[in-house]
mmCIF file with all atom_site columns, all heavy atoms in Angstrom:
data_model
loop_
_atom_site.group_PDB
_atom_site.id
_atom_site.type_symbol
_atom_site.label_atom_id
_atom_site.label_alt_id
_atom_site.label_comp_id
_atom_site.label_asym_id
_atom_site.label_entity_id
_atom_site.label_seq_id
_atom_site.pdbx_PDB_ins_code
_atom_site.Cartn_x
_atom_site.Cartn_y
_atom_site.Cartn_z
_atom_site.occupancy
_atom_site.B_iso_or_equiv
_atom_site.pdbx_formal_charge
_atom_site.auth_seq_id
_atom_site.auth_comp_id
_atom_site.auth_asym_id
_atom_site.auth_atom_id
_atom_site.pdbx_PDB_model_num
ATOM 1   N N   . ASP A 1 11 ? -8.716 12.809  -9.093  1.00 96.00 ? 14 ASP A N   1
ATOM 2   C CA  . ASP A 1 11 ? -7.426 12.866  -9.785  1.00 96.00 ? 14 ASP A CA  1
ATOM 3   C C   . ASP A 1 11 ? -6.323 12.130  -9.039  1.00 96.00 ? 14 ASP A C   1
ATOM 4   O O   . ASP A 1 11 ? -5.144 12.391  -9.258  1.00 96.00 ? 14 ASP A O   1
ATOM 5   C CB  . ASP A 1 11 ? -7.008 14.335  -9.977  1.00 96.00 ? 14 ASP A CB  1
ATOM 6   C CG  . ASP A 1 11 ? -7.914 15.062  -10.958 1.00 96.00 ? 14 ASP A CG  1
ATOM 7   O OD1 . ASP A 1 11 ? -8.518 14.387  -11.812 1.00 96.00 ? 14 ASP A OD1 1
ATOM 8   O OD2 . ASP A 1 11 ? -8.013 16.299  -10.867 1.00 96.00 ? 14 ASP A OD2 1
ATOM 9   N N   . THR A 1 12 ? -6.710 11.238  -8.140  1.00 97.00 ? 15 THR A N   1
ATOM 10  C CA  . THR A 1 12 ? -5.721 10.504  -7.344  1.00 97.00 ? 15 THR A CA  1
ATOM 11  C C   . THR A 1 12 ? -5.834 9.008   -7.580  1.00 97.00 ? 15 THR A C   1
ATOM 12  O O   . THR A 1 12 ? -6.924 8.439   -7.532  1.00 97.00 ? 15 THR A O   1
ATOM 13  C CB  . THR A 1 12 ? -5.904 10.801  -5.830  1.00 97.00 ? 15 THR A CB  1
ATOM 14  O OG1 . THR A 1 12 ? -5.779 12.200  -5.617  1.00 97.00 ? 15 THR A OG1 1
ATOM 15  C CG2 . THR A 1 12 ? -4.868 10.073  -4.999  1.00 97.00 ? 15 THR A CG2 1
ATOM 16  N N   . LEU A 1 13 ? -4.683 8.390   -7.835  1.00 97.00 ? 16 LEU A N   1
ATOM 17  C CA  . LEU A 1 13 ? -4.597 6.941   -7.941  1.00 97.00 ? 16 LEU A CA  1
ATOM 18  C C   . LEU A 1 13 ? -4.101 6.425   -6.601  1.00 97.00 ? 16 LEU A C   1
ATOM 19  O O   . LEU A 1 13 ? -3.048 6.841   -6.119  1.00 97.00 ? 16 LEU A O   1
ATOM 20  C CB  . LEU A 1 13 ? -3.618 6.537   -9.049  1.00 97.00 ? 16 LEU A CB  1
ATOM 21  C CG  . LEU A 1 13 ? -3.447 5.039   -9.277  1.00 97.00 ? 16 LEU A CG  1
ATOM 22  C CD1 . LEU A 1 13 ? -4.736 4.436   -9.855  1.00 97.00 ? 16 LEU A CD1 1
ATOM 23  C CD2 . LEU A 1 13 ? -2.273 4.769   -10.195 1.00 97.00 ? 16 LEU A CD2 1
ATOM 24  N N   . LEU A 1 14 ? -4.880 5.560   -5.978  1.00 97.00 ? 17 LEU A N   1
ATOM 25  C CA  . LEU A 1 14 ? -4.522 4.980   -4.686  1.00 97.00 ? 17 LEU A CA  1
ATOM 26  C C   . LEU A 1 14 ? -3.865 3.627   -4.914  1.00 97.00 ? 17 LEU A C   1
ATOM 27  O O   . LEU A 1 14 ? -4.436 2.756   -5.575  1.00 97.00 ? 17 LEU A O   1
ATOM 28  C CB  . LEU A 1 14 ? -5.761 4.791   -3.812  1.00 97.00 ? 17 LEU A CB  1
ATOM 29  C CG  . LEU A 1 14 ? -5.591 3.923   -2.574  1.00 97.00 ? 17 LEU A CG  1
ATOM 30  C CD1 . LEU A 1 14 ? -4.674 4.600   -1.572  1.00 97.00 ? 17 LEU A CD1 1
ATOM 31  C CD2 . LEU A 1 14 ? -6.923 3.588   -1.967  1.00 97.00 ? 17 LEU A CD2 1
ATOM 32  N N   . VAL A 1 15 ? -2.672 3.476   -4.376  1.00 98.00 ? 18 VAL A N   1
ATOM 33  C CA  . VAL A 1 15 ? -1.950 2.208   -4.408  1.00 98.00 ? 18 VAL A CA  1
ATOM 34  C C   . VAL A 1 15 ? -1.832 1.766   -2.955  1.00 98.00 ? 18 VAL A C   1
ATOM 35  O O   . VAL A 1 15 ? -1.220 2.462   -2.139  1.00 98.00 ? 18 VAL A O   1
ATOM 36  C CB  . VAL A 1 15 ? -0.551 2.375   -5.042  1.00 98.00 ? 18 VAL A CB  1
ATOM 37  C CG1 . VAL A 1 15 ? 0.206  1.063   -5.015  1.00 98.00 ? 18 VAL A CG1 1
ATOM 38  C CG2 . VAL A 1 15 ? -0.664 2.906   -6.464  1.00 98.00 ? 18 VAL A CG2 1
ATOM 39  N N   . ALA A 1 16 ? -2.440 0.635   -2.624  1.00 98.00 ? 19 ALA A N   1
ATOM 40  C CA  . ALA A 1 16 ? -2.443 0.195   -1.230  1.00 98.00 ? 19 ALA A CA  1
ATOM 41  C C   . ALA A 1 16 ? -1.830 -1.191  -1.084  1.00 98.00 ? 19 ALA A C   1
ATOM 42  O O   . ALA A 1 16 ? -2.117 -2.093  -1.867  1.00 98.00 ? 19 ALA A O   1
ATOM 43  C CB  . ALA A 1 16 ? -3.860 0.194   -0.662  1.00 98.00 ? 19 ALA A CB  1
ATOM 44  N N   . GLU A 1 17 ? -1.013 -1.320  -0.073  1.00 97.00 ? 20 GLU A N   1
ATOM 45  C CA  . GLU A 1 17 ? -0.426 -2.606  0.315   1.00 97.00 ? 20 GLU A CA  1
ATOM 46  C C   . GLU A 1 17 ? -1.184 -3.078  1.554   1.00 97.00 ? 20 GLU A C   1
ATOM 47  O O   . GLU A 1 17 ? -1.354 -2.316  2.521   1.00 97.00 ? 20 GLU A O   1
ATOM 48  C CB  . GLU A 1 17 ? 1.065  -2.435  0.628   1.00 97.00 ? 20 GLU A CB  1
ATOM 49  C CG  . GLU A 1 17 ? 1.745  -3.659  1.158   1.00 97.00 ? 20 GLU A CG  1
ATOM 50  C CD  . GLU A 1 17 ? 1.920  -4.770  0.121   1.00 97.00 ? 20 GLU A CD  1
ATOM 51  O OE1 . GLU A 1 17 ? 1.610  -4.575  -1.068  1.00 97.00 ? 20 GLU A OE1 1
ATOM 52  O OE2 . GLU A 1 17 ? 2.395  -5.848  0.515   1.00 97.00 ? 20 GLU A OE2 1
ATOM 53  N N   . VAL A 1 18 ? -1.645 -4.314  1.536   1.00 97.00 ? 21 VAL A N   1
ATOM 54  C CA  . VAL A 1 18 ? -2.377 -4.885  2.667   1.00 97.00 ? 21 VAL A CA  1
ATOM 55  C C   . VAL A 1 18 ? -1.463 -5.872  3.384   1.00 97.00 ? 21 VAL A C   1
ATOM 56  O O   . VAL A 1 18 ? -0.902 -6.781  2.753   1.00 97.00 ? 21 VAL A O   1
ATOM 57  C CB  . VAL A 1 18 ? -3.669 -5.594  2.200   1.00 97.00 ? 21 VAL A CB  1
ATOM 58  C CG1 . VAL A 1 18 ? -4.404 -6.205  3.387   1.00 97.00 ? 21 VAL A CG1 1
ATOM 59  C CG2 . VAL A 1 18 ? -4.566 -4.632  1.432   1.00 97.00 ? 21 VAL A CG2 1
ATOM 60  N N   . LYS A 1 19 ? -1.310 -5.682  4.686   1.00 96.00 ? 22 LYS A N   1
ATOM 61  C CA  . LYS A 1 19 ? -0.501 -6.590  5.507   1.00 96.00 ? 22 LYS A CA  1
ATOM 62  C C   . LYS A 1 19 ? -1.362 -7.118  6.631   1.00 96.00 ? 22 LYS A C   1
ATOM 63  O O   . LYS A 1 19 ? -2.059 -6.361  7.310   1.00 96.00 ? 22 LYS A O   1
ATOM 64  C CB  . LYS A 1 19 ? 0.708  -5.857  6.105   1.00 96.00 ? 22 LYS A CB  1
ATOM 65  C CG  . LYS A 1 19 ? 1.799  -5.569  5.112   1.00 96.00 ? 22 LYS A CG  1
ATOM 66  C CD  . LYS A 1 19 ? 2.442  -6.857  4.656   1.00 96.00 ? 22 LYS A CD  1
ATOM 67  C CE  . LYS A 1 19 ? 3.554  -6.630  3.682   1.00 96.00 ? 22 LYS A CE  1
ATOM 68  N NZ  . LYS A 1 19 ? 4.046  -7.860  3.121   1.00 96.00 ? 22 LYS A NZ  1
ATOM 69  N N   . THR A 1 20 ? -1.324 -8.441  6.824   1.00 94.00 ? 23 THR A N   1
ATOM 70  C CA  . THR A 1 20 ? -2.109 -9.058  7.891   1.00 94.00 ? 23 THR A CA  1
ATOM 71  C C   . THR A 1 20 ? -1.201 -9.860  8.817   1.00 94.00 ? 23 THR A C   1
ATOM 72  O O   . THR A 1 20 ? -0.149 -10.354 8.404   1.00 94.00 ? 23 THR A O   1
ATOM 73  C CB  . THR A 1 20 ? -3.189 -9.997  7.323   1.00 94.00 ? 23 THR A CB  1
ATOM 74  O OG1 . THR A 1 20 ? -2.547 -11.049 6.594   1.00 94.00 ? 23 THR A OG1 1
ATOM 75  C CG2 . THR A 1 20 ? -4.155 -9.261  6.420   1.00 94.00 ? 23 THR A CG2 1
ATOM 76  N N   . ARG A 1 21 ? -1.624 -9.965  10.048  1.00 94.00 ? 24 ARG A N   1
ATOM 77  C CA  . ARG A 1 21 ? -0.932 -10.770 11.052  1.00 94.00 ? 24 ARG A CA  1
ATOM 78  C C   . ARG A 1 21 ? -1.970 -11.357 12.002  1.00 94.00 ? 24 ARG A C   1
ATOM 79  O O   . ARG A 1 21 ? -3.080 -10.830 12.127  1.00 94.00 ? 24 ARG A O   1
ATOM 80  C CB  . ARG A 1 21 ? 0.066  -9.928  11.872  1.00 94.00 ? 24 ARG A CB  1
ATOM 81  C CG  . ARG A 1 21 ? 1.232  -9.368  11.075  1.00 94.00 ? 24 ARG A CG  1
ATOM 82  C CD  . ARG A 1 21 ? 2.220  -10.489 10.731  1.00 94.00 ? 24 ARG A CD  1
ATOM 83  N NE  . ARG A 1 21 ? 3.349  -10.030 9.972   1.00 94.00 ? 24 ARG A NE  1
ATOM 84  C CZ  . ARG A 1 21 ? 3.435  -10.022 8.643   1.00 94.00 ? 24 ARG A CZ  1
ATOM 85  N NH1 . ARG A 1 21 ? 2.428  -10.425 7.909   1.00 94.00 ? 24 ARG A NH1 1
ATOM 86  N NH2 . ARG A 1 21 ? 4.528  -9.617  8.036   1.00 94.00 ? 24 ARG A NH2 1
ATOM 87  N N   . THR A 1 22 ? -1.597 -12.417 12.663  1.00 93.00 ? 25 THR A N   1
ATOM 88  C CA  . THR A 1 22 ? -2.463 -13.000 13.691  1.00 93.00 ? 25 THR A CA  1
ATOM 89  C C   . THR A 1 22 ? -1.938 -12.698 15.086  1.00 93.00 ? 25 THR A C   1
ATOM 90  O O   . THR A 1 22 ? -2.550 -13.065 16.074  1.00 93.00 ? 25 THR A O   1
ATOM 91  C CB  . THR A 1 22 ? -2.577 -14.537 13.518  1.00 93.00 ? 25 THR A CB  1
ATOM 92  O OG1 . THR A 1 22 ? -1.262 -15.086 13.535  1.00 93.00 ? 25 THR A OG1 1
ATOM 93  C CG2 . THR A 1 22 ? -3.273 -14.884 12.213  1.00 93.00 ? 25 THR A CG2 1
ATOM 94  N N   . SER A 1 23 ? -0.807 -12.014 15.139  1.00 88.00 ? 26 SER A N   1
ATOM 95  C CA  . SER A 1 23 ? -0.183 -11.669 16.420  1.00 88.00 ? 26 SER A CA  1
ATOM 96  C C   . SER A 1 23 ? 0.694  -10.442 16.222  1.00 88.00 ? 26 SER A C   1
ATOM 97  O O   . SER A 1 23 ? 1.196  -10.201 15.128  1.00 88.00 ? 26 SER A O   1
ATOM 98  C CB  . SER A 1 23 ? 0.671  -12.851 16.896  1.00 88.00 ? 26 SER A CB  1
ATOM 99  O OG  . SER A 1 23 ? 1.581  -12.453 17.882  1.00 88.00 ? 26 SER A OG  1
ATOM 100 N N   . LEU A 1 24 ? 0.885  -9.705  17.294  1.00 87.00 ? 27 LEU A N   1
ATOM 101 C CA  . LEU A 1 24 ? 1.791  -8.561  17.251  1.00 87.00 ? 27 LEU A CA  1
ATOM 102 C C   . LEU A 1 24 ? 3.157  -8.911  17.834  1.00 87.00 ? 27 LEU A C   1
ATOM 103 O O   . LEU A 1 24 ? 3.966  -8.030  18.107  1.00 87.00 ? 27 LEU A O   1
ATOM 104 C CB  . LEU A 1 24 ? 1.178  -7.377  18.013  1.00 87.00 ? 27 LEU A CB  1
ATOM 105 C CG  . LEU A 1 24 ? -0.089 -6.791  17.404  1.00 87.00 ? 27 LEU A CG  1
ATOM 106 C CD1 . LEU A 1 24 ? -0.655 -5.690  18.290  1.00 87.00 ? 27 LEU A CD1 1
ATOM 107 C CD2 . LEU A 1 24 ? 0.184  -6.262  16.009  1.00 87.00 ? 27 LEU A CD2 1
ATOM 108 N N   . SER A 1 25 ? 3.428  -10.208 17.995  1.00 86.00 ? 28 SER A N   1
ATOM 109 C CA  . SER A 1 25 ? 4.684  -10.653 18.593  1.00 86.00 ? 28 SER A CA  1
ATOM 110 C C   . SER A 1 25 ? 5.917  -10.106 17.883  1.00 86.00 ? 28 SER A C   1
ATOM 111 O O   . SER A 1 25 ? 6.931  -9.848  18.514  1.00 86.00 ? 28 SER A O   1
ATOM 112 C CB  . SER A 1 25 ? 4.763  -12.181 18.594  1.00 86.00 ? 28 SER A CB  1
ATOM 113 O OG  . SER A 1 25 ? 3.723  -12.717 19.371  1.00 86.00 ? 28 SER A OG  1
ATOM 114 N N   . PHE A 1 26 ? 5.827  -9.949  16.572  1.00 88.00 ? 29 PHE A N   1
ATOM 115 C CA  . PHE A 1 26 ? 6.974  -9.472  15.801  1.00 88.00 ? 29 PHE A CA  1
ATOM 116 C C   . PHE A 1 26 ? 6.792  -8.029  15.337  1.00 88.00 ? 29 PHE A C   1
ATOM 117 O O   . PHE A 1 26 ? 7.558  -7.541  14.520  1.00 88.00 ? 29 PHE A O   1
ATOM 118 C CB  . PHE A 1 26 ? 7.224  -10.388 14.600  1.00 88.00 ? 29 PHE A CB  1
ATOM 119 C CG  . PHE A 1 26 ? 7.574  -11.784 15.003  1.00 88.00 ? 29 PHE A CG  1
ATOM 120 C CD1 . PHE A 1 26 ? 6.644  -12.802 14.888  1.00 88.00 ? 29 PHE A CD1 1
ATOM 121 C CD2 . PHE A 1 26 ? 8.830  -12.082 15.516  1.00 88.00 ? 29 PHE A CD2 1
ATOM 122 C CE1 . PHE A 1 26 ? 6.960  -14.097 15.272  1.00 88.00 ? 29 PHE A CE1 1
ATOM 123 C CE2 . PHE A 1 26 ? 9.154  -13.368 15.905  1.00 88.00 ? 29 PHE A CE2 1
ATOM 124 C CZ  . PHE A 1 26 ? 8.216  -14.380 15.781  1.00 88.00 ? 29 PHE A CZ  1
ATOM 125 N N   . GLY A 1 27 ? 5.764  -7.353  15.823  1.00 89.00 ? 30 GLY A N   1
ATOM 126 C CA  . GLY A 1 27 ? 5.525  -5.965  15.465  1.00 89.00 ? 30 GLY A CA  1
ATOM 127 C C   . GLY A 1 27 ? 4.250  -5.778  14.672  1.00 89.00 ? 30 GLY A C   1
ATOM 128 O O   . GLY A 1 27 ? 3.562  -6.734  14.327  1.00 89.00 ? 30 GLY A O   1
ATOM 129 N N   . GLU A 1 28 ? 3.952  -4.512  14.426  1.00 92.00 ? 31 GLU A N   1
ATOM 130 C CA  . GLU A 1 28 ? 2.761  -4.149  13.662  1.00 92.00 ? 31 GLU A CA  1
ATOM 131 C C   . GLU A 1 28 ? 2.914  -4.612  12.210  1.00 92.00 ? 31 GLU A C   1
ATOM 132 O O   . GLU A 1 28 ? 4.023  -4.586  11.665  1.00 92.00 ? 31 GLU A O   1
ATOM 133 C CB  . GLU A 1 28 ? 2.564  -2.631  13.686  1.00 92.00 ? 31 GLU A CB  1
ATOM 134 C CG  . GLU A 1 28 ? 2.373  -2.044  15.070  1.00 92.00 ? 31 GLU A CG  1
ATOM 135 C CD  . GLU A 1 28 ? 0.998  -2.327  15.638  1.00 92.00 ? 31 GLU A CD  1
ATOM 136 O OE1 . GLU A 1 28 ? 0.064  -2.638  14.864  1.00 92.00 ? 31 GLU A OE1 1
ATOM 137 O OE2 . GLU A 1 28 ? 0.850  -2.235  16.867  1.00 92.00 ? 31 GLU A OE2 1
ATOM 138 N N   . PRO A 1 29 ? 1.817  -5.010  11.561  1.00 93.00 ? 32 PRO A N   1
ATOM 139 C CA  . PRO A 1 29 ? 1.916  -5.471  10.171  1.00 93.00 ? 32 PRO A CA  1
ATOM 140 C C   . PRO A 1 29 ? 2.575  -4.459  9.239   1.00 93.00 ? 32 PRO A C   1
ATOM 141 O O   . PRO A 1 29 ? 3.365  -4.835  8.368   1.00 93.00 ? 32 PRO A O   1
ATOM 142 C CB  . PRO A 1 29 ? 0.457  -5.716  9.772   1.00 93.00 ? 32 PRO A CB  1
ATOM 143 C CG  . PRO A 1 29 ? -0.240 -5.998  11.054  1.00 93.00 ? 32 PRO A CG  1
ATOM 144 C CD  . PRO A 1 29 ? 0.455  -5.140  12.080  1.00 93.00 ? 32 PRO A CD  1
ATOM 145 N N   . GLU A 1 30 ? 2.290  -3.174  9.431   1.00 94.00 ? 33 GLU A N   1
ATOM 146 C CA  . GLU A 1 30 ? 2.840  -2.152  8.532   1.00 94.00 ? 33 GLU A CA  1
ATOM 147 C C   . GLU A 1 30 ? 4.358  -2.059  8.604   1.00 94.00 ? 33 GLU A C   1
ATOM 148 O O   . GLU A 1 30 ? 5.012  -1.596  7.661   1.00 94.00 ? 33 GLU A O   1
ATOM 149 C CB  . GLU A 1 30 ? 2.220  -0.775  8.794   1.00 94.00 ? 33 GLU A CB  1
ATOM 150 C CG  . GLU A 1 30 ? 2.413  -0.230  10.173  1.00 94.00 ? 33 GLU A CG  1
ATOM 151 C CD  . GLU A 1 30 ? 1.303  -0.577  11.152  1.00 94.00 ? 33 GLU A CD  1
ATOM 152 O OE1 . GLU A 1 30 ? 0.580  -1.572  10.955  1.00 94.00 ? 33 GLU A OE1 1
ATOM 153 O OE2 . GLU A 1 30 ? 1.176  0.167   12.142  1.00 94.00 ? 33 GLU A OE2 1
ATOM 154 N N   . ALA A 1 31 ? 4.943  -2.537  9.690   1.00 92.00 ? 34 ALA A N   1
ATOM 155 C CA  . ALA A 1 31 ? 6.407  -2.527  9.820   1.00 92.00 ? 34 ALA A CA  1
ATOM 156 C C   . ALA A 1 31 ? 7.066  -3.472  8.816   1.00 92.00 ? 34 ALA A C   1
ATOM 157 O O   . ALA A 1 31 ? 8.277  -3.382  8.588   1.00 92.00 ? 34 ALA A O   1
ATOM 158 C CB  . ALA A 1 31 ? 6.807  -2.904  11.237  1.00 92.00 ? 34 ALA A CB  1
ATOM 159 N N   . PHE A 1 32 ? 6.280  -4.339  8.206   1.00 92.00 ? 35 PHE A N   1
ATOM 160 C CA  . PHE A 1 32 ? 6.819  -5.319  7.266   1.00 92.00 ? 35 PHE A CA  1
ATOM 161 C C   . PHE A 1 32 ? 6.752  -4.860  5.804   1.00 92.00 ? 35 PHE A C   1
ATOM 162 O O   . PHE A 1 32 ? 7.010  -5.644  4.897   1.00 92.00 ? 35 PHE A O   1
ATOM 163 C CB  . PHE A 1 32 ? 6.120  -6.669  7.447   1.00 92.00 ? 35 PHE A CB  1
ATOM 164 C CG  . PHE A 1 32 ? 6.432  -7.292  8.775   1.00 92.00 ? 35 PHE A CG  1
ATOM 165 C CD1 . PHE A 1 32 ? 5.663  -7.010  9.889   1.00 92.00 ? 35 PHE A CD1 1
ATOM 166 C CD2 . PHE A 1 32 ? 7.538  -8.122  8.920   1.00 92.00 ? 35 PHE A CD2 1
ATOM 167 C CE1 . PHE A 1 32 ? 5.965  -7.557  11.127  1.00 92.00 ? 35 PHE A CE1 1
ATOM 168 C CE2 . PHE A 1 32 ? 7.849  -8.669  10.145  1.00 92.00 ? 35 PHE A CE2 1
ATOM 169 C CZ  . PHE A 1 32 ? 7.069  -8.382  11.256  1.00 92.00 ? 35 PHE A CZ  1
ATOM 170 N N   . VAL A 1 33 ? 6.408  -3.599  5.593   1.00 95.00 ? 36 VAL A N   1
ATOM 171 C CA  . VAL A 1 33 ? 6.462  -3.027  4.246   1.00 95.00 ? 36 VAL A CA  1
ATOM 172 C C   . VAL A 1 33 ? 7.848  -2.394  4.121   1.00 95.00 ? 36 VAL A C   1
ATOM 173 O O   . VAL A 1 33 ? 8.066  -1.252  4.497   1.00 95.00 ? 36 VAL A O   1
ATOM 174 C CB  . VAL A 1 33 ? 5.339  -1.998  4.005   1.00 95.00 ? 36 VAL A CB  1
ATOM 175 C CG1 . VAL A 1 33 ? 5.423  -1.453  2.583   1.00 95.00 ? 36 VAL A CG1 1
ATOM 176 C CG2 . VAL A 1 33 ? 3.976  -2.631  4.242   1.00 95.00 ? 36 VAL A CG2 1
ATOM 177 N N   . SER A 1 34 ? 8.765  -3.170  3.623   1.00 94.00 ? 37 SER A N   1
ATOM 178 C CA  . SER A 1 34 ? 10.169 -2.764  3.548   1.00 94.00 ? 37 SER A CA  1
ATOM 179 C C   . SER A 1 34 ? 10.388 -1.691  2.480   1.00 94.00 ? 37 SER A C   1
ATOM 180 O O   . SER A 1 34 ? 9.534  -1.458  1.625   1.00 94.00 ? 37 SER A O   1
ATOM 181 C CB  . SER A 1 34 ? 11.037 -3.974  3.218   1.00 94.00 ? 37 SER A CB  1
ATOM 182 O OG  . SER A 1 34 ? 10.742 -4.424  1.899   1.00 94.00 ? 37 SER A OG  1
ATOM 183 N N   . LYS A 1 35 ? 11.556 -1.066  2.522   1.00 94.00 ? 38 LYS A N   1
ATOM 184 C CA  . LYS A 1 35 ? 11.936 -0.102  1.489   1.00 94.00 ? 38 LYS A CA  1
ATOM 185 C C   . LYS A 1 35 ? 11.948 -0.768  0.116   1.00 94.00 ? 38 LYS A C   1
ATOM 186 O O   . LYS A 1 35 ? 11.550 -0.175  -0.878  1.00 94.00 ? 38 LYS A O   1
ATOM 187 C CB  . LYS A 1 35 ? 13.306 0.516   1.788   1.00 94.00 ? 38 LYS A CB  1
ATOM 188 C CG  . LYS A 1 35 ? 13.322 1.382   3.022   1.00 94.00 ? 38 LYS A CG  1
ATOM 189 C CD  . LYS A 1 35 ? 12.535 2.651   2.801   1.00 94.00 ? 38 LYS A CD  1
ATOM 190 C CE  . LYS A 1 35 ? 12.626 3.535   4.030   1.00 94.00 ? 38 LYS A CE  1
ATOM 191 N NZ  . LYS A 1 35 ? 11.722 4.670   3.954   1.00 94.00 ? 38 LYS A NZ  1
#
Side-chain angles (χ1 to χ4, degrees):
D14 292 335
T15 302
L16 181 68
L17 167 67
V18 178
E20 175 70 6
V21 179
K22 286 293 181 188
T23 62
R24 295 287 180 267
T25 56
S26 163
L27 294 176
S28 298
F29 297 105
E31 299 285 340
E33 60 269 23
F35 293 88
V36 181
S37 67
K38 293 290 183 189

